Amino acid sequence: IPALLSEGLTIVISPLISLMKDQVQALRQNGVAAAYVNSTLDHTEIREIVSGCIGGAYKLLYLSPERLDTEEAVRLASEAEIRLIAVDEAHCISQWGQDFRPSYLKIVEFVKNLAKRPILSAFTATATEEVKNDILCILGLDNPKITITGFDRANLYYRVEQVKKKD
């Protein structure tokens, strides 16, 4: 919703390639100009999407963290009007996160290369206190609004069963 209500481009940094594709498809079906850039696209497709972002053809761009130091990302950072960056699965920025991905550290450099710092937000469903502090510190979030909704997830549960036949 913030992306739709603001001028310029919103970038969602996400490590989940299949989810990017699904979310972009759903957004497009609802009339939202969205695209993604990840390793499933060839160089020509990526160039076209980046040009579209710079030209204002897209409101939302899903970008994998591994693409943040590419030539296209550098061009995007210098020429696009980026108003918001949302970091999905933000626990990946912490070495203490269960899915630590060093490519998430590229986010900091990407943001520094922007002419104007956009609104930066971070989201995760799995953060210990140490991971939360890493997210705040590494991303340089200044006086952020932190919302914790709880950890009860009805779709996840543990069940222990006594096995009678191990074969």
Side-chain angles (χ1 to χ4, degrees), residues 5 72 83 88 93 101 104-106 141 146 153-154:
L5 296 177
E72 291 82 13
R83 295 294 178 103
D88 193 19
I93 203 164
R101 291 175 65 160
Y104 261 69
L105 299 175
K106 296 175 186 176
L141 301 179
I146 298 172
R153 296 177 59 187

Side-chain angles (χ1 to χ4, degrees), residues 8 30 53 72 76 81 89:
N30 285 294
C53 289
E72 291 82 13
L76 192 64
E81 186 183 350
E89 305 295 338

Side-chain angles (χ1 to χ4, degrees), residues 60-162:
L60 274 154
L61 175 66
Y62 286 75
L63 188 61
S64 63
E66 291 78 13
R67 309 299 303 179
L68 287 170
D69 63 353
T70 63
E71 179 183 321
E72 291 82 13
V74 171
R75 181 173 171 229
L76 192 64
S78 65
E79 298 180 37
E81 186 183 350
I82 301 169
R83 295 294 178 103
L84 172 66
I85 295 177
V87 180
D88 193 19
E89 305 295 338
H91 61 272
C92 294
I93 203 164
S94 171
Q95 67 176 335
W96 306 109
Q98 76 274 16
D99 293 320
F100 175 60
R101 291 175 65 160
S103 58
Y104 261 69
L105 299 175
K106 296 175 186 176
I107 296 168
V108 176
E109 195 62 33
F110 181 80
V111 171
K112 282 182 183 176
N113 287 331
L114 297 172
K116 181 179 178 191
R117 183 180 168 101
I119 296 169
L120 186 59
S121 56
F123 303 91
T124 183
T126 53
T128 63
E129 191 65 26
E130 192 167 26
V131 170
K132 182 181 79 169
N133 290 335
D134 274 357
I135 293 167
L136 298 174
C137 181
I138 293 169
L139 291 178
L141 301 179
D142 185 30
N143 197 27
K145 177 173 176 30
I146 298 172
T147 303
I148 299 173
T149 59
F151 302 100
D152 183 24
R153 296 177 59 187
N155 62 329
L156 301 176
Y157 63 91
Y158 287 102
R159 181 173 67 199
V160 178
E161 294 183 3
Q162 188 73 22

Side-chain angles (χ1 to χ4, degrees), residues 19-71:
L19 187 60
M20 277 186 206
K21 184 177 179 184
D22 292 345
Q23 289 178 342
V24 166
Q25 183 179 17
L27 286 163
R28 287 179 177 171
Q29 287 174 347
N30 285 294
V32 178
Y36 62 86
V37 171
N38 59 42
S39 61
T40 65
L41 302 178
D42 65 36
H43 192 69
T44 302
E45 292 172 306
I46 293 170
R47 261 197 328 259
E48 289 173 3
I49 291 168
V50 168
S51 292
C53 289
I54 292 166
Y58 298 107
K59 290 293 290 173
L60 274 154
L61 175 66
Y62 286 75
L63 188 61
S64 63
E66 291 78 13
R67 309 299 303 179
L68 287 170
D69 63 353
T70 63
E71 179 183 321

